[in-house]
Amino acid sequence: MITICYNIYMDNYEDFISTVSHELRTPLTSIRGFSQTMLNSWDKLDDESKQKFLKIIEEQSNRLIGLVENMLSVTKLQCTNLILKEVSVKPVVNTIVSLIKNSYQNHQFFVEINENINKILADRDKFQQVLMNLVENAAKYSAENSHIIISAENCGDFVSIKVVSTGVGIDEADYERIFEKFSRVDNPLTRKVEGSGLGLFITKNLVEKMDGKIAVESENGVTTFEVLMPVSNIEQQARSKCAQ
Ligand SMILES: Nc1ncnc2c1ncn2[C@@H]1O[C@H](COP(=O)(O)OP(=O)(O)OP(=O)(O)O)[C@@H](O)[C@H]1O
Ligand SMILES: [Mg+2]
């Protein structure tokens, strides 16, 4: 089973191993360094420094956990059996927003979803993971106090879910690249925030496994990620046209 799962990397397996090793080594080196300093110089350190070092160890441990979880998700992508069911979009969006709000209390989140929105055919957990990645990115790569809008509307055989944020923006030249494994856009903000560059790779793969589509557009710092998810029951679908 594991061999099959690893097929995803067979094209550039060595690149994958070296990138993973590097990504793991950075937080581990920092955890080891700060814990050694604390053990060797405990009596010489003031409380403020101890607090600061422990905070770094905690942050780097969280980074490591996030990284390992993302890598497991990537590994499982080819093996995951999806459980496709009828899913209501709004409750999932509300759950994600309330989770993300805890970590990004200075952002303002707006959910714009009408009651007449069609149900989608999706694996609830995976759809939740997709939204989690997109909304978390929207918060991570935008300015404090900025607005994040999550909207959904019927769009023929699909439901269109958009996550809009204002921040660093993405150059058109990077639209495709950001969905590749370990790819991050190099700018002052991405350098400041932690990330492994796996989130959108996982997101795109999950969306496509559920027969959906994902696209990005960014203009004047306003970035929109749009996910199109298939409607659960084609007969029921609203005959609405995509808003242009
Ligand atoms: N809403 C956004 N606004 C601006 N840039 C974005 C946005 N979402 C993603 N990006 C850019 O795309 C890159 C890839 O995103 P991705 O989610 O794959 O990785 P990450 O956030 O760096 O790490 P992680 O694996 O922890 O999600 C980011 O590093 C960032 O440069
Ligand atoms: Mg991300």
Side-chain angles (χ1 to χ4, degrees), residues 7 27 41 54 67 72 75 125 133 137 141 157 160 179 193 201:
N7 277 346
S41 325
L54 283 173
L67 197 63
L72 282 175
T75 309
D125 287 348
N133 286 345
N137 275 351
Y141 301 112
D157 294 351
S160 153
F179 292 103
V193 296
F201 173 74

Side-chain angles (χ1 to χ4, degrees), residues 120-205:
I120 58 169
L121 187 67
D123 179 303
R124 198 176 195 284
D125 287 348
K126 304 292 179 245
F127 177 60
Q128 194 156 316
Q129 193 178 349
V130 163
L131 281 181
M132 181 69 144
N133 286 345
L134 294 179
V135 179
E136 191 172 29
N137 275 351
K140 250 163 80 166
Y141 301 112
S142 60
E144 291 224 351
N145 303 314
S146 64
H147 292 188
I148 292 169
I149 304 165
I150 302 113
S151 64
E153 60 184 359
N154 293 331
C155 184
D157 294 351
F158 293 88
V159 170
S160 153
I161 300 127
K162 288 185 182 156
V163 179
V164 184
S165 57
T166 306
V168 280
I170 302 171
D171 285 347
E172 200 174 339
D174 292 320
Y175 284 0
E176 278 186 33
R177 200 171 65 79
I178 54 169
F179 292 103
E180 290 167 11
K181 310 191 262 290
F182 296 115
S183 92
R184 308 194 75 212
V185 178
D186 187 32
N187 61 42
L189 189 65
T190 47
R191 250 173 269 142
K192 260 194 276 167
V193 296
E194 302 289 358
S196 60
L198 285 174
L200 286 176
F201 173 74
I202 295 166
T203 302
K204 185 171 196 277
N205 270 271

Side-chain angles (χ1 to χ4, degrees), residues 16-74:
F16 173 73
I17 294 293
S18 60
T19 312
V20 167
S21 314
H22 173 262
E23 293 292 320
L24 292 174
R25 191 189 290 270
T26 315
L28 278 172
T29 307
S30 154
I31 291 170
R32 186 178 60 182
F34 282 101
S35 44
Q36 277 173 344
T37 307
M38 289 186 77
L39 284 169
N40 296 339
S41 325
W42 183 261
D43 294 335
K44 288 181 220 136
L45 292 169
D46 56 27
D47 284 354
E48 201 184 322
S49 305
K50 285 176 185 162
Q51 185 102 24
K52 196 171 130 199
F53 292 172
L54 283 173
K55 188 93 199 109
I56 296 173
I57 292 174
E58 190 199 22
E59 277 168 12
Q60 294 301 312
S61 309
N62 286 337
R63 178 176 170 193
L64 214 47
I65 290 169
L67 197 63
V68 170
E69 276 170 1
N70 270 348
M71 288 194 294
L72 282 175
S73 288
V74 173

